[in-house]
Amino acid sequence: MSEMPCCPPVTALPACVDRDWAKHAVAILEGDGRRSADTHLVNPVFRGLKGISIYLKDESTHPTGSLKHRLARSLFLYGICNGWIRKGTTLVEASSGSTAVSEAYFAHLLELPFIAVMPKTTSRQKIEAIERFGGRCHFVDLPGEVYAVAAKLADEAGGHYLDQFTFAERATDWRGNNNVAESIFDQMKAEAHPEPAWVVMSAGTGGTSATLGRYIRYRNFSTRLCVVDVEHSAFYDAWKSGDREATCPRASRIEGVGRPRVEPSFMPGVIDHMIKIPDAASIAAMHVLSDRLFRRVGGSTGTNFFGLCWIASCLMKAGEQGSLVSLICDSGDRYTSTYYNEEWLKANGLDIAPYREMIETFLDTGTFRSDLMAE
Ligand SMILES: *Cc1c(COP(=O)(O)O)cnc(C)c1O
């Protein structure tokens, strides 16, 4: 029999030092949210796509230029509310660029030191943006090295490893709270086909597809989710085989998407279909969409758009009608020296011309030359 514990003596309670900073920090993050309007759901018209309406959620208009603005805000709130991020905590992240740009911005708002661990191939524009917000960049040779190096740097500094690849799926409120899925379905309400037949998304952390897939199930929609993977990435194989240990030795050339390992935030169970496409197809689709929108979008938006065209062609072939939704993940301004540079494309052996023609023809006539598709 254990003894009854005795009551502690009555003393003065500890001062509430840390909570003052946390309250201040949460108020600052709330302010960023309030200053932001919701992002546009653009509805471009393509003559050849009879019966199919296309919608693109434009996440490039966030203050830090990409969909990672939402994720960074969520990761900061999650860290603060868990008591992991406190006054003066050094923050470290493993990133291919976009997330680090958004996190550097929030770290600046909260006056916290920030270190981004990135592959040395990260675009110059992203590095400049991180440094402008006062962040520090630490480069590694191989993309698979970012995780261990970030964890080690955080440990040495007595800081916090934000770890987007683990926490993206759980730091986001998947049931709502104006997450990207709730916002899309709300903006679709007055459309001819308010419930999209399919939502199409690429995967980096896998967090956005996890939120979309979970929200679709939670709200009982019939919408299906297609995830588009890129040439150098482990996600497609893992989804197909069920093996989460799948890896890919080469770094993805499409910034923001495609990973060397199956990230913990990737949730295969909520994905209805996956396709894997060549990088030349992603970049060709990026160019075509940029021409048609009269402004430049990024490479992963090309991945999304190619997948959207592929789904549209399948629906049209089956004689079905409906709406399709995808995301503009970031702007093409970040990639002037890569995807929009002829020399770079040539140096990387990327011939985008056949895919370009294929997509142009499809958008204008509705005919999709599927002989260029491997899978
Ligand atoms: C992160 C990212 C994606 C993928 O989003 P996830 O939610 O991480 O899967 C796509 N495009 C860009 C530019 C990104 O930075």
Side-chain angles (χ1 to χ4, degrees):
M1 285 283 265
S2 64
E3 272 179 55
M4 280 279 287
C6 52
C7 290
V10 173
T11 57
L13 290 168
C16 194
V17 187
D18 270 359
R19 289 288 301 284
D20 287 347
W21 186 84
K23 278 176 109 163
H24 160 78
V26 169
I28 285 177
L29 297 181
E30 200 188 315
D32 176 82
R34 278 184 193 284
R35 291 193 301 277
S36 302
D38 204 350
T39 57
H40 290 287
L41 188 63
V42 297
N43 176 213
V45 175
F46 304 113
R47 275 186 296 126
L49 309 193
K50 304 233 159 33
I52 307 287
S53 310
I54 304 286
Y55 298 87
L56 299 167
K57 179 75 166 156
D58 189 359
E59 294 290 290
S60 73
T61 61
H62 286 292
T64 55
S66 80
L67 78 171
K68 291 303 187 329
H69 196 81
R70 290 181 196 268
L71 174 62
R73 195 197 285 138
S74 298
L75 287 169
F76 272 65
L77 274 172
Y78 193 67
I80 294 162
C81 296
N82 279 322
W84 300 335
I85 302 176
R86 292 164 186 258
K87 186 175 185 175
T89 301
T90 296
L91 301 174
V92 187
E93 182 63 294
S95 174
S96 62
S98 300
T99 305
V101 173
S102 300
E103 288 170 342
Y105 162 85
F106 285 107
H108 171 76
L109 284 188
L110 300 180
E111 298 179 56
L112 299 173
F114 177 73
I115 307 167
V117 180
M118 303 188 293
K120 59 174 194 248
T121 51
T122 304
S123 76
R124 189 65 233 160
Q125 282 94 329
K126 286 184 190 169
I127 296 164
E128 277 169 15
I130 292 162
E131 288 173 348
R132 196 158 314 135
F133 290 127
R136 235 181 70 205
C137 298
H138 182 103
F139 298 102
V140 296
D141 290 328
L142 300 171
E145 290 176 316
V146 288
Y147 317 102
V149 173
K152 184 168 152 277
L153 288 179
D155 192 45
E156 282 168 7
H160 173 59
Y161 172 25
L162 288 154
D163 197 357
Q164 57 166 335
F165 294 108
T166 299
F167 296 116
E169 59 86 7
R170 68 193 86 154
T172 303
D173 292 333
W174 59 272
R175 293 182 193 81
N177 206 357
N178 199 34
N179 68 37
V180 72
E182 185 177 52
S183 173
I184 288 169
F185 282 87
D186 194 52
Q187 288 175 317
M188 286 294 295
K189 274 184 181 155
E191 299 307 298
H193 301 283
E195 222 175 283
W198 286 84
V199 175
V200 182
M201 180 61 193
S202 45
T205 63
T208 305
S209 51
T211 299
L212 289 165
R214 287 163 164 171
Y215 189 79
I216 287 165
R217 281 165 173 71
Y218 178 60
R219 294 290 305 273
N220 243 341
F221 293 124
S222 307
T223 306
R224 288 191 280 168
L225 172 65
C226 176
V227 171
V228 191
D229 204 12
V230 293
E231 224 172 292
H232 304 294
S233 176
F235 291 132
Y236 179 81
D237 288 344
W239 181 80
K240 195 132 200 199
S241 67
D243 176 16
R244 284 198 81 104
E245 301 305 310
T247 57
C248 177
R250 268 190 70 178
S252 173
R253 289 183 292 194
I254 309 299
E255 281 193 41
V257 297
R259 301 295 309 163
R261 67 172 198 189
V262 181
E263 300 299 348
S265 281
F266 178 71
M267 299 280 131
V270 301
I271 299 168
D272 297 289
H273 191 60
M274 262 192 94
I275 56 171
K276 188 176 175 83
I277 66 168
D279 289 350
S282 290
I283 297 171
M286 176 204 80
H287 277 277
V288 174
L289 183 62
S290 296
D291 288 350
R292 307 256 171 158
L293 294 178
F294 304 103
R295 66 198 172 86
R296 286 177 164 186
V297 297
S300 64
T301 303
T303 307
N304 291 350
F305 189 58
F306 191 90
L308 196 91
C309 289
W310 186 83
I311 293 273
S313 76
C314 296
L315 286 179
M316 287 165 73
K317 202 170 165 194
E320 290 176 32
Q321 302 208 327
S323 53
L324 300 178
V325 180
S326 193
L327 272 70
I328 295 173
C329 300
D330 68 354
S331 147
D333 297 342
R334 287 173 168 176
Y335 311 103
T336 45
S337 55
T338 55
Y339 311 141
Y340 288 95
N341 181 317
E342 285 292 335
E343 307 292 303
W344 187 91
L345 291 176
K346 213 176 262 165
N348 278 272
L350 292 162
D351 180 14
I352 65 170
Y355 293 104
R356 233 187 134 132
E357 205 210 310
M358 169 189 182
I359 303 158
E360 301 273 15
T361 305
F362 176 62
L363 297 177
D364 293 334
T365 68
T367 308
F368 200 69
R369 266 186 58 199
S370 50
D371 53 306
L372 283 174
M373 297 292 292
E375 288 177 287

PDB file of all heavy atoms in Angstrom, residues 67-68 98 201-208 255-257 300 329-330 335, ligand 1:
ATOM      1  N   LEU A  67       3.487  28.967 -50.721  1.00  0.00           N
ATOM      2  CA  LEU A  67       2.577  28.255 -49.818  1.00  0.00           C
ATOM      3  C   LEU A  67       3.224  27.991 -48.457  1.00  0.00           C
ATOM      4  O   LEU A  67       2.532  27.717 -47.483  1.00  0.00           O
ATOM      5  CB  LEU A  67       2.106  26.939 -50.460  1.00  0.00           C
ATOM      6  CG  LEU A  67       3.026  25.718 -50.473  1.00  0.00           C
ATOM      7  CD1 LEU A  67       2.254  24.491 -50.960  1.00  0.00           C
ATOM      8  CD2 LEU A  67       4.228  25.899 -51.331  1.00  0.00           C
ATOM      9  N   LYS A  68       4.554  28.101 -48.369  1.00  0.00           N
ATOM     10  CA  LYS A  68       5.250  27.843 -47.118  1.00  0.00           C
ATOM     11  C   LYS A  68       5.001  28.925 -46.064  1.00  0.00           C
ATOM     12  O   LYS A  68       5.352  28.743 -44.904  1.00  0.00           O
ATOM     13  CB  LYS A  68       6.750  27.668 -47.367  1.00  0.00           C
ATOM     14  CG  LYS A  68       7.108  26.398 -48.114  1.00  0.00           C
ATOM     15  CD  LYS A  68       6.603  25.177 -47.390  1.00  0.00           C
ATOM     16  CE  LYS A  68       7.032  23.829 -47.955  1.00  0.00           C
ATOM     17  NZ  LYS A  68       7.265  23.712 -49.368  1.00  0.00           N
ATOM     18  N   SER A  98      12.174  27.382 -49.926  1.00  0.00           N
ATOM     19  CA  SER A  98      10.953  28.171 -49.690  1.00  0.00           C
ATOM     20  C   SER A  98      10.571  28.243 -48.214  1.00  0.00           C
ATOM     21  O   SER A  98      10.186  29.304 -47.714  1.00  0.00           O
ATOM     22  CB  SER A  98       9.769  27.572 -50.446  1.00  0.00           C
ATOM     23  OG  SER A  98      10.022  27.547 -51.802  1.00  0.00           O
ATOM     24  N   MET A 201      -1.969  17.830 -56.567  1.00  0.00           N
ATOM     25  CA  MET A 201      -0.892  18.495 -55.835  1.00  0.00           C
ATOM     26  C   MET A 201       0.392  17.672 -55.915  1.00  0.00           C
ATOM     27  O   MET A 201       0.342  16.453 -55.983  1.00  0.00           O
ATOM     28  CB  MET A 201      -1.327  18.680 -54.363  1.00  0.00           C
ATOM     29  CG  MET A 201      -0.320  19.360 -53.455  1.00  0.00           C
ATOM     30  SD  MET A 201       0.085  21.051 -54.001  1.00  0.00           S
ATOM     31  CE  MET A 201       1.537  21.380 -53.006  1.00  0.00           C
ATOM     32  N   SER A 202       1.515  18.362 -55.914  1.00  0.00           N
ATOM     33  CA  SER A 202       2.819  17.708 -55.841  1.00  0.00           C
ATOM     34  C   SER A 202       3.190  17.559 -54.355  1.00  0.00           C
ATOM     35  O   SER A 202       2.468  18.062 -53.495  1.00  0.00           O
ATOM     36  CB  SER A 202       3.848  18.564 -56.577  1.00  0.00           C
ATOM     37  OG  SER A 202       3.694  19.925 -56.209  1.00  0.00           O
ATOM     38  N   ALA A 203       4.321  16.922 -54.056  1.00  0.00           N
ATOM     39  CA  ALA A 203       4.680  16.718 -52.650  1.00  0.00           C
ATOM     40  C   ALA A 203       6.133  17.082 -52.359  1.00  0.00           C
ATOM     41  O   ALA A 203       7.049  16.688 -53.081  1.00  0.00           O
ATOM     42  CB  ALA A 203       4.427  15.268 -52.238  1.00  0.00           C
ATOM     43  N   GLY A 204       6.304  17.884 -51.291  1.00  0.00           N
ATOM     44  CA  GLY A 204       7.637  18.207 -50.780  1.00  0.00           C
ATOM     45  C   GLY A 204       7.742  17.604 -49.387  1.00  0.00           C
ATOM     46  O   GLY A 204       8.337  16.557 -49.182  1.00  0.00           O
ATOM     47  N   THR A 205       7.094  18.255 -48.418  1.00  0.00           N
ATOM     48  CA  THR A 205       6.947  17.615 -47.117  1.00  0.00           C
ATOM     49  C   THR A 205       5.831  16.562 -47.201  1.00  0.00           C
ATOM     50  O   THR A 205       5.810  15.609 -46.431  1.00  0.00           O
ATOM     51  CB  THR A 205       6.542  18.629 -46.020  1.00  0.00           C
ATOM     52  OG1 THR A 205       5.260  19.169 -46.341  1.00  0.00           O
ATOM     53  CG2 THR A 205       7.554  19.753 -45.897  1.00  0.00           C
ATOM     54  N   GLY A 206       4.884  16.787 -48.100  1.00  0.00           N
ATOM     55  CA  GLY A 206       3.679  15.959 -48.160  1.00  0.00           C
ATOM     56  C   GLY A 206       2.568  16.561 -47.305  1.00  0.00           C
ATOM     57  O   GLY A 206       1.445  16.063 -47.289  1.00  0.00           O
ATOM     58  N   GLY A 207       2.878  17.648 -46.620  1.00  0.00           N
ATOM     59  CA  GLY A 207       1.921  18.264 -45.696  1.00  0.00           C
ATOM     60  C   GLY A 207       0.666  18.794 -46.371  1.00  0.00           C
ATOM     61  O   GLY A 207      -0.441  18.603 -45.857  1.00  0.00           O
ATOM     62  N   THR A 208       0.823  19.445 -47.522  1.00  0.00           N
ATOM     63  CA  THR A 208      -0.351  20.014 -48.198  1.00  0.00           C
ATOM     64  C   THR A 208      -1.277  18.904 -48.683  1.00  0.00           C
ATOM     65  O   THR A 208      -2.496  18.979 -48.493  1.00  0.00           O
ATOM     66  CB  THR A 208       0.076  20.921 -49.365  1.00  0.00           C
ATOM     67  OG1 THR A 208       0.977  21.910 -48.867  1.00  0.00           O
ATOM     68  CG2 THR A 208      -1.123  21.619 -49.992  1.00  0.00           C
ATOM     69  N   GLU A 255      12.509  22.480 -57.548  1.00  0.00           N
ATOM     70  CA  GLU A 255      12.628  23.007 -56.180  1.00  0.00           C
ATOM     71  C   GLU A 255      11.305  22.975 -55.433  1.00  0.00           C
ATOM     72  O   GLU A 255      10.280  23.385 -55.969  1.00  0.00           O
ATOM     73  CB  GLU A 255      13.186  24.443 -56.202  1.00  0.00           C
ATOM     74  CG  GLU A 255      14.696  24.463 -56.389  1.00  0.00           C
ATOM     75  CD  GLU A 255      15.304  25.827 -56.113  1.00  0.00           C
ATOM     76  OE1 GLU A 255      14.882  26.505 -55.145  1.00  0.00           O
ATOM     77  OE2 GLU A 255      16.209  26.219 -56.866  1.00  0.00           O
ATOM     78  N   GLY A 256      11.362  22.477 -54.204  1.00  0.00           N
ATOM     79  CA  GLY A 256      10.167  22.421 -53.357  1.00  0.00           C
ATOM     80  C   GLY A 256       9.497  21.063 -53.354  1.00  0.00           C
ATOM     81  O   GLY A 256       8.796  20.730 -52.414  1.00  0.00           O
ATOM     82  N   VAL A 257       9.695  20.272 -54.423  1.00  0.00           N
ATOM     83  CA  VAL A 257       9.031  18.962 -54.496  1.00  0.00           C
ATOM     84  C   VAL A 257      10.005  17.856 -54.874  1.00  0.00           C
ATOM     85  O   VAL A 257      11.039  18.103 -55.487  1.00  0.00           O
ATOM     86  CB  VAL A 257       7.826  18.973 -55.472  1.00  0.00           C
ATOM     87  CG1 VAL A 257       6.763  19.935 -54.982  1.00  0.00           C
ATOM     88  CG2 VAL A 257       8.253  19.325 -56.881  1.00  0.00           C
ATOM     89  N   SER A 300       7.363  23.750 -59.481  1.00  0.00           N
ATOM     90  CA  SER A 300       6.426  22.779 -58.893  1.00  0.00           C
ATOM     91  C   SER A 300       4.993  23.081 -59.340  1.00  0.00           C
ATOM     92  O   SER A 300       4.153  22.174 -59.393  1.00  0.00           O
ATOM     93  CB  SER A 300       6.520  22.800 -57.366  1.00  0.00           C
ATOM     94  OG  SER A 300       6.120  24.052 -56.850  1.00  0.00           O
ATOM     95  N   CYS A 329       2.215  27.262 -56.413  1.00  0.00           N
ATOM     96  CA  CYS A 329       2.964  27.157 -55.154  1.00  0.00           C
ATOM     97  C   CYS A 329       3.866  28.360 -54.907  1.00  0.00           C
ATOM     98  O   CYS A 329       4.008  28.813 -53.780  1.00  0.00           O
ATOM     99  CB  CYS A 329       3.788  25.888 -55.139  1.00  0.00           C
ATOM    100  SG  CYS A 329       2.784  24.399 -55.296  1.00  0.00           S
ATOM    101  N   ASP A 330       4.539  28.827 -55.970  1.00  0.00           N
ATOM    102  CA  ASP A 330       5.342  30.051 -55.846  1.00  0.00           C
ATOM    103  C   ASP A 330       5.508  30.698 -57.217  1.00  0.00           C
ATOM    104  O   ASP A 330       5.058  30.146 -58.224  1.00  0.00           O
ATOM    105  CB  ASP A 330       6.692  29.797 -55.135  1.00  0.00           C
ATOM    106  CG  ASP A 330       7.672  28.944 -55.924  1.00  0.00           C
ATOM    107  OD1 ASP A 330       7.288  28.426 -57.001  1.00  0.00           O
ATOM    108  OD2 ASP A 330       8.820  28.788 -55.473  1.00  0.00           O
ATOM    109  N   TYR A 335      13.236  31.772 -60.282  1.00  0.00           N
ATOM    110  CA  TYR A 335      13.933  30.794 -61.121  1.00  0.00           C
ATOM    111  C   TYR A 335      14.384  31.353 -62.468  1.00  0.00           C
ATOM    112  O   TYR A 335      14.485  30.613 -63.439  1.00  0.00           O
ATOM    113  CB  TYR A 335      13.026  29.575 -61.323  1.00  0.00           C
ATOM    114  CG  TYR A 335      12.440  29.066 -60.029  1.00  0.00           C
ATOM    115  CD1 TYR A 335      11.115  29.334 -59.673  1.00  0.00           C
ATOM    116  CD2 TYR A 335      13.227  28.329 -59.139  1.00  0.00           C
ATOM    117  CE1 TYR A 335      10.582  28.884 -58.467  1.00  0.00           C
ATOM    118  CE2 TYR A 335      12.702  27.882 -57.928  1.00  0.00           C
ATOM    119  CZ  TYR A 335      11.382  28.161 -57.604  1.00  0.00           C
ATOM    120  OH  TYR A 335      10.854  27.724 -56.417  1.00  0.00           O
TER     121      TYR A 335
HETATM  122  C1  LIG B   1       6.964  22.888 -50.215  1.00  0.00           C
HETATM  123  C2  LIG B   1       6.645  23.175 -51.608  1.00  0.00           C
HETATM  124  C3  LIG B   1       5.745  22.373 -52.328  1.00  0.00           C
HETATM  125  C4  LIG B   1       5.109  21.132 -51.736  1.00  0.00           C
HETATM  126  O1  LIG B   1       4.288  21.332 -50.610  1.00  0.00           O
HETATM  127  P1  LIG B   1       4.279  20.338 -49.371  1.00  0.00           P
HETATM  128  O2  LIG B   1       3.131  20.730 -48.565  1.00  0.00           O
HETATM  129  O3  LIG B   1       5.573  20.546 -48.614  1.00  0.00           O
HETATM  130  O4  LIG B   1       4.203  18.931 -49.881  1.00  0.00           O
HETATM  131  C5  LIG B   1       5.505  22.725 -53.636  1.00  0.00           C
HETATM  132  N1  LIG B   1       6.100  23.799 -54.206  1.00  0.00           N
HETATM  133  C6  LIG B   1       6.944  24.603 -53.531  1.00  0.00           C
HETATM  134  C7  LIG B   1       7.569  25.780 -54.229  1.00  0.00           C
HETATM  135  C8  LIG B   1       7.245  24.325 -52.217  1.00  0.00           C
HETATM  136  O5  LIG B   1       8.080  25.115 -51.554  1.00  0.00           O
END
